[in-house]
Amino acid sequence: MMLIGAVCTIGGRSRVARRFFVPPAGVGDEFVNLPTELVHHLRSVLRLAVGVEVLLLDGCGGHYQCHLTDLTPQGGRAVIDNRWTETETALPVRLLQGVPKGDRFDLILQKGTELGISAFTPVWSQRSIPAPATGRDEKRLQRWQRIIAEAARQSRRPLLPSCAAPQPLASALATTGEELRLMLWEEGSQPLATALPQNRPRDVALLVGPEGGFSADEATAAVAAGFQPVHLGPRILRSETAGFAVSAILQYVYGDFGVR
Ligand code: SAM
């Protein structure tokens, strides 16, 4: 984990720079209960001691400036000295991503979080490689959530993006109700620019295929679910690159890329 070691000032408020996400259920009126995994990290990796100031975030916008009071192998506690709420100005973008092979999805979660993605929905599609493995999904999901939390911490996001369990494309399509729904399909005839509305949409669903791309049947299903198939020009991008590129464009046009 990367440690940010300095105290910085944003918007006139002095901020403790060591920030960590904690489960909202552990936040009380005066104390925050620290999960054992975080206590282990604070004690054994960062070598922090009782009395040190930390900024704890509940992932829903709650910020708790605290000092550590208990750090034991059984768990820990921090006393809340100050609390406030922050929100995001980023455009809410859900990335429905065909799961690529190997550990490339880790990179998608990390960089997507930095780029302002608000939710990830990993999707199994006809050409996904490898075929869905059974029985390992829960462990894999927990690992993905840790990667997101670390990227959100490092990039100083006030909100923690969510990650759904991997699911077949048809199930994922059934969950979409975003105002703007874009499917990146290299065989589509509409360029991205013509699908972008004048005014900022309420939220966006962005569907990106795996290495093998989407089949025509899948494109038909996505269109039936309200997605506009758009192409990105003459170059075929890797699955992970395509999502990053469009996420950055969306945050630049409608969100907070380059704006504070
Ligand atoms: N099956 C394709 C092929 O071999 O020609 C390549 C698929 S591409 C590596 C993976 C995903 O990235 C696609 O399913 C699509 O969602 C997105 N993508 C990459 N380049 C694109 C482009 N030029 N236009 C639209 N989508 C693109």
Side-chain angles (χ1 to χ4, degrees):
M1 271 197 197
M2 188 186 293
L3 172 64
I4 306 165
V7 174
C8 61
T9 302
I10 302 172
R13 195 199 296 258
S14 176
R15 303 282 166 85
V16 179
R18 287 187 183 115
R19 52 174 58 212
F20 306 95
F21 284 99
V22 291
V27 179
D29 289 340
E30 294 173 24
F31 300 99
V32 177
N33 290 313
L34 308 175
T36 49
E37 193 185 349
L38 177 58
V39 173
H40 172 77
H41 183 72
L42 297 175
R43 272 166 50 108
S44 307
V45 181
L46 300 180
R47 307 265 175 211
L48 299 187
V50 163
V52 167
E53 284 198 348
V54 290
L55 179 61
L56 303 177
L57 294 84
D58 65 10
C60 310
H63 286 52
Y64 309 91
Q65 188 172 334
C66 300
H67 62 272
L68 301 170
T69 53
D70 294 285
L71 291 173
T72 70
Q74 288 72 43
R77 234 178 191 202
V79 171
I80 301 173
D81 299 316
N82 193 7
R83 63 167 75 207
W84 65 93
T85 303
E86 289 186 21
T87 190
E88 283 195 338
T89 48
L91 174 73
V93 177
R94 172 154 64 125
L95 179 64
L96 296 95
Q97 171 73 51
V99 181
K101 66 182 173 189
D103 55 9
R104 281 195 201 157
F105 197 62
D106 295 3
L107 186 75
I108 289 170
L109 296 170
Q110 187 191 59
K111 301 301 172 201
T113 298
E114 289 175 32
L115 287 166
I117 294 291
S118 53
F120 296 89
T121 302
V123 166
W124 297 120
S125 59
Q126 286 172 15
R127 300 179 189 155
S128 291
I129 309 168
T134 51
R136 290 176 31 228
D137 279 357
E138 186 54 35
K139 277 187 106 173
R140 182 173 12 203
L141 184 57
Q142 286 172 3
R143 197 170 68 81
W144 287 345
Q145 285 165 339
R146 282 198 298 273
I147 291 169
I148 292 171
E150 175 54 15
R153 190 190 72 80
Q154 184 272 330
S155 60
R156 301 187 187 187
R157 289 189 65 171
L159 305 182
L160 187 60
S162 62
C163 186
Q167 53 202 275
L169 178 63
S171 314
L173 290 177
T175 66
T176 53
E178 285 83 353
E179 185 176 347
L180 179 63
R181 282 161 258 179
L182 299 173
M183 174 196 207
L184 303 190
W185 196 37
E186 57 282 7
E187 294 172 43
S189 56
Q190 186 182 11
L192 172 66
T194 62
L196 299 183
Q198 184 80 25
N199 297 323
R200 170 180 164 135
R202 184 188 64 238
D203 46 18
V204 179
L206 178 62
L207 176 59
V208 183
E211 291 90 341
F214 289 118
S215 68
D217 284 352
E218 288 173 330
T220 303
V223 169
F227 282 77
Q228 301 180 62
V230 294
H231 72 76
L232 303 176
R235 289 181 296 284
I236 300 299
L237 309 180
R238 281 185 179 234
S239 180
E240 58 270 35
T241 317
F244 297 156
V246 177
S247 300
I249 290 168
L250 290 171
Q251 292 302 348
Y252 184 75
V253 174
Y254 303 113
D256 57 6
F257 210 154
V259 184
R260 258 199 205 129

